[in-house]
Amino acid sequence: MNLWGGSTMGRKSVNFSIKEINTDLARFRDLNITIGAITREQWDEPMGPTPFPSLTTLRPWDQRLLKRYKPFYLPFCDLCCMCTYGKCDLTGSKKGACGISMSAQQSRTVLLSACIGAATHISHSRDLLTHLIAASGRDCPINVGGTGVEVEAPITRLVCGIKPITLGDLEPVLDYCENQVTQLLAVTHTGQEGNNLDFESKVFHAGMIDHVGMEVADIAQVSALGFPKADAEAPLVDLGLGTVDTKKPVILVIGHNVPPATEIIDYLKENDLFPEVEVTGICCTALDITRYSPKAKIVGPISWQLRYIRSGVPDVIVIDEQCIRTDTLFEAARINTPLIATSEKNCLGLPDLTHEPVESIISGFVTGTVPGALILDPEKVGEVAVRVAIAMAPQRKKHSALPTKHQLTEWAKKCTQCMLCRRACPNDLPVAQAIRLAASGNLSGLDELYDDCLGCGRCESACKQKIPVHSLIVTAADKKTREETFCLRSGRGAIQDTEIRKVGGPIVLGEIPGIVAFVGCANYPKGSREVAEMCMEFARRRYIVCTSGCSAMSAGMYRDEEGKTAYERYSGAFEAGGIVNVGSCVANAHIAGAAIKIASVFAKRPLRGNYEEIADYVYNRVGAVGVAWGAMSQKAAAIAAGFWRLGIPVVVGPHGTKYRRMLLGRADKEADWLVYDARTGEQVNGGPVPEHLFFAAETKEEAMVMIAKLTMRPNDTSKGRANKLANYIDLHKRLIGGIPPDVYRLVRTPADIPLTMKDEIQVHLAEHDWKEATIPDPTLLSRMVHSRKVA
């Protein structure tokens, strides 16, 4: 029995036990009464088969996908160290003391990562929702796009069977998510699950729950904080170190949970101080604060933390939660900048001054007796941060931790060329060689490292001479940092239903070649420019391009030959050739939501609690691909898993192999690609599309070719398949060389062949003894064959 089944808006209940009661009608003994949540039903769509799914409700769907896309393991560690029986060596056919195999342990680790990511987003969502309800009330209406958005919460409707009307309606949704994360974490205990594919099914479940939590967070903040509401013309906002006016007091906010930052903006506005103070941000709080006020400025993605703090520009640093360097307090102290922590999840050992008088807190910061403090009242943070920044600016005088050019050379002379810095570098950058040049006064080598540097600081930890390597790189690239003046379009949030209706047909038929979503962190193999170049290339080819999080920033940190960024060059509408920034990490839900709405709004498939059918539609018909080129965090793992369960493939960069396994198809095994033809009921070969569900590319070029390939779907019309093949073949020729070796597997009928490539493809088909195949009305669900016949 599914404890979470049903359709009420709440799940909490009150129980009464009555020993005995006499009435005129009857005598009752040992009477138990349960009063559940009051149902507010404003949705006439019938409830589907899987509202509030448990860990195993969608297991059959997961098994279908995992039968086709088998885990390919890349063990990051051969040992299991999770209980006191260990360490257990799992190499070869060895098992752990509990009986676990290498494959199960790797999938168990993936599940742990996905659970951490999902718990982080759901916890963020809970804190945000609680704050917004306290500020705006449970009856605050949900509004993510006015009349242009009728399906306001597609993931919540799909998974939970709930149509939320107000902020209060979102609380039981998070109750469900929190319950499921607890259940999933229990699965990872020693002596619990033992099958690798069942671990993987639960990874998918964690991803789905993560997407629900993200959607709750973003629709709540869009509704209550006045963020852009599905606005294709959301304003362009400043991006880059060079956009910051360093003559003013500067506040830096870092993290993901935006309420403290919005209170800073409110205090500035209420006291007419906005023109006098710069509000800057790093990571997703930066994205969300520019959704709240376009006057705020984005410094850059997560990897910009060290370089910006050490520059000495911030006069006060405010951190909330997620993806914040854990040594931020130390780095802030080096530049004499006070730090304010604002989240219970990130206290940094600081004294809790939440209930102290504002004047006392400010005095402690300004006199230096209090280098940092925990303040859990966002409104108080707003006042303290502004007043401290104004007071500290003339006192600090932008004190920097970066060396001068002369000091840089002196530091470089201490290098012994041991190469430990290069060995520690995730991107294997030629750090030691660049430092050797710098010792002679030539800074060009260090300057060239700047764009590719991840800002992780591992080179400094490895250096036996204690050389501040990252600081040397930033100093050498001083001119570049001053010229970092870019822009991006403020996060628009949801995709309008009207946009979905316009593009639904062309996407499903393949005439728009696909949706490509660039999401995730900034752990790039060769800097952020590659993300911008990929975005522009696919937009130019008339794909719909979406961005979010750090990738949204990276997409804007490059100018083309005409001096325009991606967001200036291309439309912000969800249309062919558009580049759509949905917003911060939690806004990723709108990308999955758009795919779901193609099935619901365009194709009229029942949405409510009907996960399998919608996922089957998306998998077979919607040519969407996620690209997490710099994926680093557990949150990125959970986001990817949510896309996998919907049947949407994800491509990661080379660092993505550290997630320990890929989900790869075998194009050569025809039996793996059988689908039901809903017209005839027969099982037929639908072709190896999409070929993989989770794929790591070594280079940008390999990634671009694979992205084009993975947009193909069994349902493509011949016109659509020809369009997709033309892009795939052209990219392969241009970036790798020659015609792809597997084109014969992707051409079903002669009409699939792109006209401009007809001659060479026909030669290729002849070489592989190609035979024509039918184009099915594809589904992986046998029950859909019966329902389509009845219809």
Side-chain angles (χ1 to χ4, degrees), residues 315-316 336-340 353 358-373 383-396:
D315 293 302
V316 66
N336 300 331
T337 292
L339 181 141
I340 303 172
L353 304 185
V358 169
E359 299 298 335
S360 173
I361 298 171
I362 295 172
S363 174
F365 280 140
V366 175
T367 60
T369 57
V370 179
E383 179 178 358
V384 171
V386 171
R387 292 178 59 186
V388 169
I390 292 171
M392 290 297 296
Q395 181 176 314
R396 288 187 59 255

Side-chain angles (χ1 to χ4, degrees), residues 265-572:
I265 297 291
D266 289 346
Y267 186 84
L268 288 169
K269 288 180 177 178
E270 290 164 6
N271 293 274
D272 297 322
L273 293 170
F274 220 133
E276 300 175 26
V277 177
E278 288 276 65
V279 180
T280 66
I282 289 175
C283 222
C284 283
T285 293
L287 286 168
D288 282 341
I289 200 170
T290 56
R291 297 167 83 184
Y292 191 67
S293 171
K295 292 181 180 179
K297 295 176 179 178
I298 300 171
V299 173
I302 179 176
S303 49
W304 257 243
Q305 290 182 60
L306 275 184
R307 65 187 70 174
Y308 187 49
I309 294 174
R310 290 183 182 180
S311 74
V313 172
D315 293 302
V316 66
I317 298 172
V318 180
I319 62 171
D320 48 82
E321 62 171 281
Q322 304 167 41
C323 301
I324 302 160
R325 287 190 64 94
T326 57
D327 59 355
T328 301
L329 181 61
F330 169 78
E331 293 292 340
R334 293 180 65 194
I335 60 169
N336 300 331
T337 292
L339 181 141
I340 303 172
T342 64
S343 170
E344 292 179 328
K345 284 162 274 186
N346 189 14
C347 300
L348 296 180
L350 295 170
D352 187 350
L353 304 185
T354 304
H355 303 293
E356 294 297 311
V358 169
E359 299 298 335
S360 173
I361 298 171
I362 295 172
S363 174
F365 280 140
V366 175
T367 60
T369 57
V370 179
L374 176 67
I375 305 176
L376 299 175
D377 178 348
E379 187 174 353
K380 183 174 284 188
V381 170
E383 179 178 358
V384 171
V386 171
R387 292 178 59 186
V388 169
I390 292 171
M392 290 297 296
Q395 181 176 314
R396 288 187 59 255
K397 298 179 181 178
K398 304 300 180 188
H399 174 68
S400 172
L402 297 176
T404 64
K405 296 289 177 67
H406 172 72
Q407 290 170 332
L408 185 161
T409 303
E410 294 305 307
W411 273 114
K413 289 176 180 177
K414 296 182 179 182
C415 177
T416 61
Q417 293 293 303
C418 67
M419 297 294 177
L420 290 177
C421 53
R422 182 164 188 169
R423 291 181 193 137
C425 178
N427 283 341
D428 190 33
L429 297 179
V431 181
Q433 293 89 327
I435 292 177
R436 183 170 59 212
L437 284 175
S440 62
N442 183 350
L443 305 186
S444 62
L446 289 171
D447 179 68
E448 289 172 5
L449 298 181
Y450 179 82
D451 289 332
D452 293 347
C453 177
L454 297 173
C456 65
R458 283 172 55 175
C459 50
E460 296 184 353
S461 297
C463 182
K464 297 289 183 65
Q465 304 303 314
K466 305 301 180 186
I467 298 172
V469 181
H470 182 66
S471 293
L472 303 192
I473 294 170
V474 177
T475 295
D478 178 60
K479 184 174 183 291
K480 283 183 180 177
T481 61
R482 290 199 308 270
E483 292 176 353
E484 279 184 1
T485 54
F486 306 105
C487 68
L488 60 70
R489 194 170 298 282
S490 180
R492 58 167 285 172
I495 309 304
Q496 295 182 22
D497 295 11
T498 49
E499 292 174 295
I500 295 294
R501 292 188 184 99
K502 288 178 182 177
V503 302
I507 289 172
V508 170
L509 299 176
E511 293 159 10
I512 292 176
I515 304 167
V516 184
F518 290 89
V519 306
C521 323
N523 190 17
Y524 306 125
K526 288 187 177 179
S528 60
R529 176 171 174 159
E530 290 192 330
V531 174
E533 290 174 338
M534 286 191 281
C535 284
M536 286 184 166
E537 179 66 25
F538 282 102
R540 186 181 67 79
R541 291 173 177 270
R542 307 287 290 164
Y543 290 76
I544 298 173
V545 177
C546 297
T547 64
S548 67
C550 286
S551 289
M553 302 179 202
S554 297
M557 300 186 82
Y558 165 70
R559 294 188 182 275
D560 64 14
E561 60 280 358
E562 294 182 15
K564 292 185 177 182
T565 67
Y567 298 102
E568 293 170 301
R569 169 69 66 187
Y570 297 99
S571 155

Side-chain angles (χ1 to χ4, degrees), residues 537-709:
E537 179 66 25
F538 282 102
R540 186 181 67 79
R541 291 173 177 270
R542 307 287 290 164
Y543 290 76
I544 298 173
V545 177
C546 297
T547 64
S548 67
C550 286
S551 289
M553 302 179 202
S554 297
M557 300 186 82
Y558 165 70
R559 294 188 182 275
D560 64 14
E561 60 280 358
E562 294 182 15
K564 292 185 177 182
T565 67
Y567 298 102
E568 293 170 301
R569 169 69 66 187
Y570 297 99
S571 155
F574 192 77
E575 63 186 9
I579 296 183
V580 183
N581 173 24
V582 293
S584 58
C585 279
V586 293
N588 275 302
H590 300 304
I591 300 173
I596 291 166
K597 290 206 285 188
I598 290 171
S600 168
V601 174
F602 164 72
K604 306 298 184 185
R605 294 294 178 97
L607 177 62
R608 187 177 191 182
N610 191 28
Y611 195 94
E612 266 195 338
E613 182 178 344
I614 295 295
D616 181 68
Y617 184 95
V618 171
Y619 173 73
N620 282 293
R621 289 168 166 78
V622 180
V625 179
V627 185
W629 192 236
M632 169 276 298
S633 69
Q634 296 89 354
K635 292 189 304 168
I639 292 167
F643 283 117
W644 298 332
R645 190 173 240 185
L646 279 171
I648 297 175
V650 175
V651 175
V652 292
H655 293 303
T657 58
K658 298 169 194 173
Y659 283 122
R660 292 176 172 80
R661 66 96 178 87
M662 301 291 107
L663 295 170
L664 305 179
R666 288 283 301 271
D668 59 317
K669 293 192 172 183
E670 290 194 7
D672 286 355
W673 304 102
L674 295 178
V675 298
Y676 290 101
D677 187 336
R679 288 187 293 263
T680 65
E682 296 178 358
Q683 276 196 307
V684 298
N685 191 316
V689 291
E691 186 175 354
H692 306 300
L693 203 55
F694 188 37
F695 180 85
E698 282 293 318
T699 65
K700 177 192 74 172
E701 291 73 23
E702 182 186 11
M704 292 173 72
V705 172
M706 182 56 69
I707 291 164
K709 182 178 177 180

